[in-house]
Amino acid sequence: MSLEAFSSTPDGGQQANGQPFEALVQGGKDNKWLVMGERGVLKASQAYSCLVQPALGDRVLIQPLAGHYYLLAILERQQALPLRIQAREGLEVDLGGQDCKWQHAGHWSLQADKASLLSRETEVTTETARIRGQQLTQHWQQVRNLVQDFWHTGQRTWKQVKQAISRVEEVEQKNSGEYLHRVENSMTQHSKRGSITSEKDLRIDAERIHMG
C-alpha cells in the first residue's frame, strides 16, 4: 500500500482544526505513517516532539491541524518490541545537574562514529571487561593498577618512559627466545647471592674487568 495513495488533507467540512482521535498504525516510513481510525485510512506526519518510532499495530493519537494530520503520541503497543527513539536533528539531554540512572538493562549498546565522555570522576564496576580496537592512546598523569593477576598477550610491546621503577616482592621470571639489553651509561646489579650459567659459551668483554 503506497503512502501517495492517500491524501493528508481532511475531508470537506473538516479543514479547521479538530479534536484529536485515536487510530492504529498500518505502516509507513520516513516519519510518514498510514493510520486507520474512525475516519478511515489516512496519512499522518509524525510530530517533531514524538521521538518514539511507531510500529505496526500501535494505537496512536492523531491531531488534525491546518489541513494536515499529525501523529502526536503512541498510546499503546500491542507487540513486545523494543522502544526506538529517533532524533532527526540530533539529541541533547540536559539533566540540570541531577542524577541519572539506567536500571534493569539486559543489554546496552552504543554505536557512534565518534564518542566523547567528559567527567570529573568516573567509576566502572564489572565482573568481566573486553576492549577491542586498532589503536589505544592514553594520557594520564598518574596510573595505579591494583590487580591480583595480570596477563598480557601480543606481538609487540613498546614502552618509552623517562623513569621506570619496579618492585617485586617475591619472584620475577622472564622466559625469552633471545634477550638483548642495552644501557647507554652505567649498569649496576646487586644481590645477596647470584648465579650466571650458560649451556655453551659465556663471554664477558670490556676494556677493564675487575673481579672481587
Side-chain angles (χ1 to χ4, degrees):
M1 184 176 294
S2 175
L3 290 177
E4 288 73 13
F6 299 91
S7 173
S8 61
T9 303
D11 297 335
Q14 298 181 357
Q15 294 290 340
N17 301 340
Q19 296 296 323
F21 59 92
E22 297 181 8
L24 296 177
V25 175
Q26 303 300 301
K29 61 179 181 179
D30 299 332
N31 301 311
K32 303 291 185 181
W33 303 94
L34 287 178
V35 297
M36 181 176 63
E38 58 184 11
R39 305 185 185 182
V41 179
L42 51 89
K43 182 172 65 176
S45 300
Q46 187 171 344
Y48 184 82
S49 61
C50 182
L51 301 180
V52 179
Q53 291 299 102
L56 182 65
D58 283 359
R59 185 176 299 275
V60 296
L61 185 65
I62 303 298
Q63 171 67 60
L65 181 63
H68 296 279
Y69 289 113
Y70 290 93
L71 192 155
L72 298 183
I74 299 174
L75 303 178
E76 186 180 8
R77 174 158 293 179
Q78 305 295 333
Q79 307 180 65
L81 298 175
L83 185 145
R84 182 172 181 264
I85 296 178
Q86 180 179 4
R88 295 184 288 275
E89 282 79 25
L91 178 64
E92 181 176 345
V93 179
D94 186 356
L95 302 177
Q98 301 299 317
D99 296 336
C100 178
K101 295 182 180 180
W102 296 78
Q103 296 180 340
H104 310 295
H107 177 74
W108 190 49
S109 177
L110 171 63
Q111 297 181 0
D113 293 336
K114 183 177 180 181
S116 178
L117 173 63
L118 302 178
S119 174
R120 186 181 60 84
E121 182 177 351
T122 302
E123 180 178 351
V124 178
T125 303
T126 180
E127 292 184 1
T128 59
R130 295 180 180 89
I131 299 177
R132 298 183 179 91
Q134 297 294 331
Q135 184 177 1
L136 175 64
T137 302
Q138 299 185 90
H139 297 280
W140 297 100
Q141 190 172 7
Q142 187 180 42
V143 176
R144 294 184 181 181
N145 289 325
L146 304 176
V147 295
Q148 186 173 359
D149 294 315
F150 179 78
W151 297 84
H152 172 76
T153 303
Q155 292 185 349
R156 295 181 181 87
T157 299
W158 300 87
K159 183 173 68 173
Q160 182 177 356
V161 297
K162 187 174 183 180
Q163 185 179 13
I165 299 175
S166 176
R167 292 185 177 91
V168 180
E169 294 290 339
E170 295 181 358
V171 179
E172 182 177 9
Q173 179 179 341
K174 291 184 178 180
N175 298 327
S176 305
E178 294 184 4
Y179 181 73
L180 178 62
H181 191 185
R182 290 192 178 95
V183 180
E184 292 184 358
N185 296 320
S186 61
M187 183 182 71
T188 302
Q189 289 183 334
H190 176 73
S191 64
K192 184 180 292 186
R193 291 181 297 273
S195 175
I196 300 177
T197 61
S198 176
E199 293 184 358
K200 294 183 179 180
D201 297 337
L202 177 63
R203 177 182 178 183
I204 300 177
D205 187 8
E207 184 177 347
R208 288 179 297 178
I209 300 178
H210 300 273
M211 307 292 292

